Amino acid sequence: MAVHRVSLALDRLLFAVKYAPCQSRCCVLNSRALYCTVYHPSEKTFDKILIANRGEIACRVIKTCKKMGIQTVAVHSDADCNAVHVKMADEAFCVGPAPTSKSYLNMDAIMDAIRVTGSQAVHPGYGFLSENKEFAKRLAAEGVTFIGPDTHAIQAMGDKIESKLIAKAAKVNTIPGFDGVVKTVEEAVKIAQDIGYPVMIKASAGGGGKGMRIAWNDEETREGFRFSSQEAASSFGDDRLLIEKYIDNPRHIEIQVLADKHGNALWLNERECSIQRRNQKVVEEAPSTFLDPATRRAMGEQAVQLAKAVQYSSAGTVEFLVDSKKNFYFLEMNTRLQVEHPITECITGLDLVEQMIRVAKGYQLQAKQEDIPINGWAIESRVYAEDPFKSFGLPSIGRLSQYQEPLNLSNVRVDSGIEEGSDISIYYDPMISKLVTYGVTRAEALARMEDALDNYVIRGVTHNIPLLREIITHPRFISGDISTNFLPEVYPDGFKGHQLDVDKSRELLASAAALHIASQLRSQNILGSPRVSPTPVECTRWELCVELGEGRHDVEVTKSENAYTVELDGEKIEVTGLWNLASPLLPLTINGTHKMLQCMSREASGIIVLQYMGTLFKVRVLSKLASELNSYMPEKVPEDTSSILRSPMPGTVVAVSVQPGDTVAAGQEICVIEAMKMQNSLTAVKQAKVKCVHCKPGETVGEGDLLVELE
């Protein structure tokens, strides 16, 4: 039986004292971007709300509840007992062990928490039980308010097949496809052939990019059917699939709707969500650069038509695919608060969580359609614990050894549910935070996003900031020339990080050389007193060798106060800074231009790892003598990876398709790894014979673990 957590008062008090400034700032933008929680003491809503979720969305809901004077209850798994949302809430209740099926999807335990704590309403956040009609029914049976739409709307819009039929009846543009459940692989192939390739195979009960595959031929249809049904069963407990025509090179644009129980419904403008990997959004913005007022209104009106067709009441999102001629087609409706809702809050000034709570209590909407503005521009980057160099982002796990959000910058909002010391585990979504910047213009919002990414300190896990920064500074993104194929088109050979030109390479090398000397000079003193140092005290000129990749450069460094002049390849580069080597951030002025670098590590071997332009670069700085001697050191022979298969990420082995003695062809599946509810097929890189299998279904593996040997 779950144990009611009521003994966290001291922890919460300490947490509140330590993080109060941070918590208050994370929602503070200028007057144009601030979403407003208007709390009227006379407008009674609920005394206590339970949040049936975790992480950043649980924290987001708690913040609005606190502003409205509502007590909050957090639920958590054993693994999340010290999570930020647990500390922020007034009460906490353990609902089971780490796996989601035994905790955050455990309806019985969550219902126990509601009864024990006396919660009057439940906010489901997104994911987990947010679109589960059975959960909503159980709440209604016990007289507990579900902060979301009624069960009819959840069922109608949660089923992709039924929702498409309803959309057609409501005169909403829909994608051509098969209006039914696809039951077998062969049926899937026949339907795909009838529709015409390419097709999209997706889970009927799905969302969030899970259970979706694009197929361009019969073989990919068979494979997509298998993986989509498995992911759908794992993520939603429902393996039903549908197939529809895949619109090649579209934009993904969604309309935020808000409706009450009195027949009023509004559309709160659009969000551009075209930058995706594996059908999951990475960067979003509001408004879209692509829509004109007439198309925006047409999409908004169709979204409201659909909402009214199912008597929708709450915040919801109608997603559309939009082609190059601005024809738009209904994709799905999410009957919950969307992950990317903050950018809508920034440009409209509305607090969507507050609106959901008011609607759930039965109040009418306060705004009319003509009251909904587009003030400025907002951009959201989803910061994930992922390795962007592997398929644009395979999950990474670990503990956040250092964590610092860029809240010192103006017009920056960070929605997160972690802190320094938090663990990123294999059990949950790898999102670290949602980083939002706002500007009067798009250019202003983009410039702030670039600064925010450069100032964001994350240590202990691999993250996708290198990819995010490259996206928002790419000429195609800046010009608005984007589609859902943006990443594979811009990086056809995979993401490689920032590619340095000659000038940027020189800036990086000069910064590393100056940092090396600053470190050497600091080593002369301990507690302000001189000590023996390899660097002579009176020295103001140094000759060094700096290596980056295969390049080797002789440099000369001179110092004057806090400025270093680095002569490199006949060019002089001036590097100035405060040189606080204890700080993870390294603000420098390079030839008069401000740059923010991060020093990730410095080693006695002369290796300095710097984050520059979002990407990590390994630079080696040595004296000339040390560089000459280093050439005699033996080099480590790289491992031959063509004859072994290692896990590219932490996860669980779902299936092993080979056994010792089998002969495999290049591209043949060897095993399947599931990480954060996404299944990944690992294949052979060449034709070979299986020598040994080191894993079996159900086992948990770490990144780099040996799975199969070939010969």
Side-chain angles (χ1 to χ4, degrees):
M1 181 178 175
V3 178
H4 186 203
R5 295 286 305 279
V6 292
S7 59
L8 293 172
L10 181 58
D11 280 350
R12 292 202 187 90
L13 178 60
L14 294 173
F15 179 83
V17 171
K18 182 177 181 181
Y19 291 99
C22 172
Q23 295 297 333
S24 62
R25 281 182 294 162
C26 78
C27 292
V28 174
L29 308 174
N30 69 15
S31 59
R32 295 176 183 268
L34 178 65
Y35 66 91
C36 183
T37 306
V38 182
Y39 171 54
H40 300 287
S42 60
E43 190 177 82
K44 184 68 175 173
T45 55
F46 303 101
D47 296 323
K48 186 182 290 186
I49 290 176
L50 181 142
I51 298 98
N53 217 297
R54 66 179 298 279
E56 64 85 13
I57 189 59
C59 295
R60 166 71 188 88
V61 174
I62 291 171
K63 288 171 188 172
T64 288
C65 287
K66 287 184 179 296
K67 291 178 182 178
M68 297 178 72
I70 301 170
Q71 287 190 311
T72 54
V73 178
V75 295
H76 65 89
S77 67
D78 289 340
D80 277 344
C81 63
N82 293 313
V84 173
H85 76 282
V86 174
K87 297 175 182 177
M88 285 182 65
D90 298 296
E91 300 174 59
F93 195 99
C94 182
V95 289
T100 56
S101 61
K102 299 178 180 179
S103 53
Y104 296 104
L105 293 174
N106 185 347
M107 280 192 246
D108 290 338
I110 293 174
M111 294 305 296
D112 284 344
I114 293 167
R115 296 185 195 102
V116 171
T117 59
S119 299
Q120 300 166 321
V122 172
H123 196 299
Y126 55 76
F128 295 136
L129 298 172
S130 62
E131 295 176 284
N132 189 302
K133 62 180 183 297
E134 295 304 323
F135 182 56
K137 286 179 181 177
R138 290 186 64 172
L139 292 175
E142 300 217 9
V144 177
T145 302
F146 179 75
I147 301 177
D150 63 25
T151 55
H152 165 70
I154 295 173
Q155 178 170 339
M157 292 294 101
D159 187 300
K160 300 298 182 290
I161 297 167
E162 185 178 352
S163 66
K164 188 172 180 180
L165 295 174
I166 293 172
K168 280 184 176 180
K171 302 188 183 308
V172 176
N173 305 343
T174 58
I175 301 170
F178 177 69
D179 298 329
V181 177
V182 185
K183 297 178 181 178
T184 67
V185 171
E186 293 311 314
E187 185 184 7
V189 171
K190 184 179 184 307
I191 291 169
Q193 291 172 345
D194 292 342
I195 295 172
Y197 289 108
V199 297
M200 172 69 82
I201 304 168
K202 60 184 183 181
S204 176
K210 296 178 176 66
M212 297 177 67
R213 290 291 190 280
I214 300 167
W216 294 81
N217 53 50
D218 292 354
E219 186 56 37
E220 289 185 4
T221 298
R222 292 186 177 92
E223 184 180 87
F225 183 90
R226 178 163 68 96
F227 283 124
S228 292
S229 59
Q230 289 173 353
E231 286 181 3
S234 172
S235 299
F236 316 112
D238 183 345
D239 64 358
R240 293 176 304 143
L241 301 178
L242 68 138
I243 298 179
E244 60 190 19
K245 181 69 177 177
Y246 174 64
I247 298 176
D248 196 15
N249 214 39
R251 287 175 179 258
H252 184 138
I253 300 176
E254 61 191 29
I255 300 292
Q256 176 72 57
V257 296
L258 181 64
D260 62 24
K261 300 178 187 294
H262 304 275
N264 303 305
L266 307 173
W267 49 275
L268 309 183
N269 304 311
E270 79 279 5
R271 295 186 289 256
E272 172 79 68
C273 307
S274 297
I275 306 299
Q276 303 180 5
R277 51 97 177 91
R278 298 191 300 280
N279 299 308
Q280 292 182 310
K281 301 159 190 172
V282 180
V283 176
E284 301 103 342
E285 60 181 309
S288 168
T289 60
F290 189 62
L291 296 190
D292 54 66
T295 307
R296 174 179 296 117
R297 175 172 292 278
M299 292 177 70
E301 289 176 348
Q302 286 199 17
V304 166
Q305 285 170 211
L306 182 60
K308 288 185 174 181
V310 292
Q311 298 179 324
Y312 196 86
S313 61
S314 192
T317 299
V318 181
E319 301 190 352
F320 294 94
L321 291 181
V322 185
D323 67 18
S324 59
K325 296 180 180 179
K326 297 184 181 177
N327 298 309
F328 57 90
Y329 306 93
F330 169 70
L331 184 62
E332 64 182 8
M333 182 175 188
N334 293 312
T335 58
R336 53 171 167 78
L337 189 64
Q338 199 83 331
V339 176
E340 57 274 16
H341 74 275
I343 54 178
T344 296
E345 294 182 325
C346 287
I347 66 167
T348 63
L350 294 174
D351 181 336
L352 292 182
V353 174
E354 179 201 17
Q355 295 301 317
M356 293 178 76
I357 293 171
R358 292 187 70 259
V359 167
K361 189 61 179 176
Y363 291 107
Q364 292 192 43
L365 297 180
Q366 297 164 312
K368 303 295 183 184
Q369 189 62 58
E370 57 270 21
D371 300 327
I372 306 303
I374 298 180
N375 286 331
W377 215 284
I379 298 172
E380 174 179 289
S381 292
R382 297 194 189 189
V383 181
Y384 283 104
E386 291 182 337
D387 186 345
F389 300 96
K390 297 178 179 177
S391 301
F392 299 112
L394 292 184
S396 169
I397 62 172
R399 177 166 293 172
L400 291 167
S401 56
Q402 197 167 14
Y403 184 73
Q404 183 177 312
E405 296 172 349
L407 295 169
N408 58 304
L409 304 177
S410 64
N411 292 335
V412 172
R413 167 177 168 179
V414 183
D415 282 17
S416 66
I418 48 89
E419 60 184 329
E420 197 167 288
S422 292
D423 289 316
I424 307 295
S425 76
I426 64 171
Y427 297 106
Y428 311 118
D429 188 272
M431 181 185 286
I432 292 174
S433 73
K434 299 180 306 197
L435 177 63
V436 180
T437 58
Y438 173 84
V440 176
T441 64
R442 185 171 186 261
E444 190 177 310
L446 282 172
R448 288 201 171 105
M449 180 60 73
E450 187 176 340
D451 286 344
L453 290 168
D454 285 342
N455 281 269
Y456 207 146
V457 177
I458 304 172
R459 305 283 192 274
V461 296
T462 304
H463 54 76
N464 68 334
I465 282 179
L467 175 62
L468 296 173
R469 195 184 190 282
E470 286 300 292
I471 290 170
I472 60 111
T473 57
H474 194 280
R476 270 190 60 180
F477 185 86
I478 292 172
S479 68
D481 177 19
I482 61 176
S483 74
T484 55
N485 294 325
F486 178 87
L487 289 179
E489 286 176 357
V490 173
Y491 308 106
D493 300 320
F495 180 66
K496 308 295 183 184
H498 185 76
Q499 303 302 300
L500 296 172
D501 59 23
V502 173
D503 290 338
K504 293 293 188 293
S505 179
R506 285 174 179 161
E507 286 184 1
L508 175 63
L509 294 172
S511 300
L515 178 62
H516 175 79
I517 297 301
S519 177
Q520 291 289 305
L521 292 174
R522 189 180 72 160
S523 69
Q524 293 178 5
N525 297 285
I526 182 168
L527 298 178
S529 302
R531 69 175 185 180
V532 177
S533 170
T535 307
V537 174
E538 67 278 1
C539 186
T540 57
R541 178 179 173 277
W542 299 264
E543 291 185 348
L544 303 172
C545 177
V546 184
E547 301 171 4
L548 175 63
E550 300 297 322
R552 183 179 180 278
H553 305 263
D554 291 328
V555 304
E556 182 178 292
V557 182
T558 56
K559 180 180 184 296
S560 175
E561 296 183 350
N562 286 329
Y564 293 88
T565 302
V566 181
E567 187 169 340
L568 169 67
D569 298 336
E571 298 281 339
K572 287 189 176 181
I573 303 167
E574 186 169 289
V575 184
T576 306
L578 296 178
W579 306 104
N580 179 6
L581 304 187
S583 171
L585 296 174
L586 189 63
L588 299 177
T589 301
I590 305 174
N591 284 344
T593 303
H594 175 74
K595 303 283 184 179
M596 180 61 74
L597 285 73
Q598 293 189 33
C599 182
M600 311 300 288
S601 64
R602 300 192 309 274
E603 300 177 10
S605 62
I607 291 177
I608 300 174
V609 179
L610 292 173
Q611 181 175 304
Y612 174 65
M613 309 291 285
T615 297
L616 300 186
F617 293 95
K618 184 183 290 186
V619 183
R620 171 170 278 179
V621 184
L622 298 170
S623 66
K624 281 196 170 183
L625 175 60
S627 178
E628 292 170 5
L629 295 175
N630 188 63
S631 64
Y632 295 101
M633 297 293 289
E635 292 187 6
K636 182 179 179 181
V637 179
E639 181 181 41
D640 179 12
T641 58
S642 65
S643 297
I644 60 173
L645 181 67
R646 295 186 180 277
S647 179
M649 75 209 88
T652 302
V653 180
V654 174
V656 178
S657 307
V658 298
Q659 56 187 1
D662 288 354
T663 298
V664 294
Q668 182 177 334
E669 180 181 287
I670 292 179
C671 64
V672 178
I673 303 293
E674 182 178 284
M676 280 98 172
K677 300 182 182 178
M678 295 294 288
Q679 295 193 358
N680 303 272
S681 176
L682 307 184
T683 59
V685 297
K686 65 179 183 180
Q687 181 172 328
K689 186 177 181 180
V690 178
K691 178 181 179 182
C692 188
V693 177
H694 295 274
C695 62
K696 59 184 179 182
E699 282 188 343
T700 300
V701 295
E703 181 179 356
D705 284 0
L706 180 61
L707 302 176
V708 176
E709 291 182 77
L710 305 174
E711 59 181 2

